[in-house]
Amino acid sequence: MITLQEAHLKGDRNKIPMLFLMDVIHGYKTIYPIPLGLGCSFDPELVEECSRMAAREAAAGGVFVNYAPMVDYCRDARWGRIMETCSEDTGLNCIMGAAQVKGYRGEGLDRDDTLASCVKHFAAYGGAEAGRDYNTVELSEHILREFYLPAYKACIDAGADMIMPSFNSLNGVPATANSWLLNTILRDEWGFEGVVVTDYNAIAELMVHGVAENGKQAAELAFNCGNHIDMVSSNYLKYLEELVKEGKITEEEIDNAVMRVLKLKQKLGL
């Protein structure tokens, strides 16, 4: 990654370093128990210490942002990612998620042994019907707010700088195109000022969900719902300029998205 960064800076007229993001779920070089096992320790100080060591090792390898913690609430053992969350209990999930965020960021993101956190997957990814990954989620607002949302909020309160929308639909609306989740709750209610990054190819998958006819419409939906970074699909790269010319999004909105990423890079000492 360090070699890639050097090559990038040589060719970038603005000399703005790239962000390298990685899943460092339960250790980088030194491997700890899976998050579900860490949760079984009931020891948030130990979990924070493990996260601190993982951050030191990953940062030394050139990583800046960790796609963790994953704090999806789940009580269905059939779900294939249940081992990546710390608990089936909302309160413990809040405590352990916050401990991980604090461990990754250490004394501050401007130090060279820390990581920014990207909490995931927002929201209710662990509530998939029949425990089938990517499957639809149907929840009342009461159940969503009482059991599923608190851990994401606890991680944001602990200092998480990024959040990742989930693959699933929530009550018929895909999270990547869910303005109620990403604008009303995340920004208006919680005051989140960080970066929203889509999950892997999630913008393109809005077509699979049936809410977008093509990549251009998917990009418009995702951007207007508050996703700042398009992971993998390249639909932003292909269509945002065209959407600006058509008046469907504004340059000011793009500037705002870019500024959020630049502020994160500044926090990280880049």
Side-chain angles (χ1 to χ4, degrees):
M1 282 182 266
I2 294 171
T3 302
L4 286 171
Q5 187 75 278
E6 291 171 348
H8 162 72
L9 288 172
K10 285 182 181 179
D12 180 21
R13 62 185 176 86
N14 294 312
K15 304 301 179 187
I16 299 173
M18 290 188 293
L19 279 178
F20 289 105
L21 306 92
M22 185 175 179
D23 287 286
V24 184
I25 306 301
H26 56 112
Y28 184 75
K29 290 291 186 181
T30 305
I31 302 302
Y32 309 108
I34 60 172
L36 193 59
L38 290 172
C40 290
S41 72
F42 295 96
D43 190 341
E45 291 182 1
L46 176 62
V47 170
E48 183 175 340
E49 184 181 345
C50 290
S51 301
R52 184 83 285 277
M53 178 58 73
R56 290 192 186 101
E57 293 179 351
V63 180
F64 299 116
V65 180
N66 187 8
Y67 287 128
M70 191 272 254
V71 291
D72 295 316
Y73 172 84
C74 181
R75 288 189 169 178
D76 190 337
R78 295 174 296 179
W79 188 47
R81 294 187 70 169
I82 197 167
M83 78 291 290
E84 200 178 333
T85 190
C86 281
S87 176
E88 64 181 6
D89 178 80
T90 300
L92 186 58
N93 226 7
C94 290
I95 292 167
M96 293 304 188
Q100 290 175 77
V101 171
K102 292 174 183 176
Y104 297 139
R105 68 183 291 114
E107 299 298 321
L109 294 184
D110 57 336
R111 294 170 58 96
D112 60 8
D113 64 347
T114 60
L115 299 176
S117 296
C118 177
V119 60
K120 59 188 187 184
H121 305 84
F122 189 66
Y125 192 42
E129 288 183 354
R132 296 178 63 189
D133 203 22
Y134 287 46
N135 208 2
T136 186
V137 176
E138 295 288 335
L139 293 172
S140 69
E141 186 171 348
H142 157 239
I143 295 297
L144 180 69
R145 289 184 180 273
E146 184 79 11
F147 297 103
Y148 287 85
L149 294 186
Y152 307 114
K153 177 65 160 55
C155 290
I156 290 171
D157 290 344
D161 289 282
M162 297 183 76
I163 196 164
M164 179 186 291
S166 49
F167 280 127
N168 57 277
S169 62
L170 177 63
N171 299 330
V173 183
T176 307
N178 196 320
S179 182
W180 181 71
L181 277 178
L182 301 181
N183 289 318
T184 303
I185 293 179
L186 184 62
R187 293 194 178 83
D188 297 342
E189 292 187 18
W190 295 357
F192 181 68
E193 297 182 352
V195 177
V196 178
V197 56
T198 73
D199 208 335
Y200 195 96
N201 203 40
I203 292 181
E205 289 184 11
L206 292 178
M207 293 181 280
V208 181
H209 279 288
V211 299
E213 183 177 4
N214 49 45
K216 182 178 176 181
Q217 189 177 26
E220 180 186 352
L221 269 173
F223 189 84
N224 284 332
C225 285
N227 295 274
H228 305 119
I229 298 177
D230 170 11
M231 191 201 299
V232 175
S233 86
S234 298
N235 284 312
Y236 278 6
L237 184 63
K238 293 174 185 175
Y239 300 116
L240 283 189
E241 183 178 1
E242 193 175 333
L243 288 166
V244 169
K245 290 177 180 177
E246 294 175 358
K248 293 179 178 177
I249 61 174
T250 67
E251 284 190 48
E252 183 181 5
E253 289 167 333
I254 291 181
D255 288 344
N256 176 62
V258 171
M259 183 59 70
R260 286 174 181 258
V261 178
L262 290 175
K263 284 181 177 179
L264 176 57
K265 290 184 177 184
Q266 186 177 45
K267 282 184 180 180
L268 288 162
L270 298 176

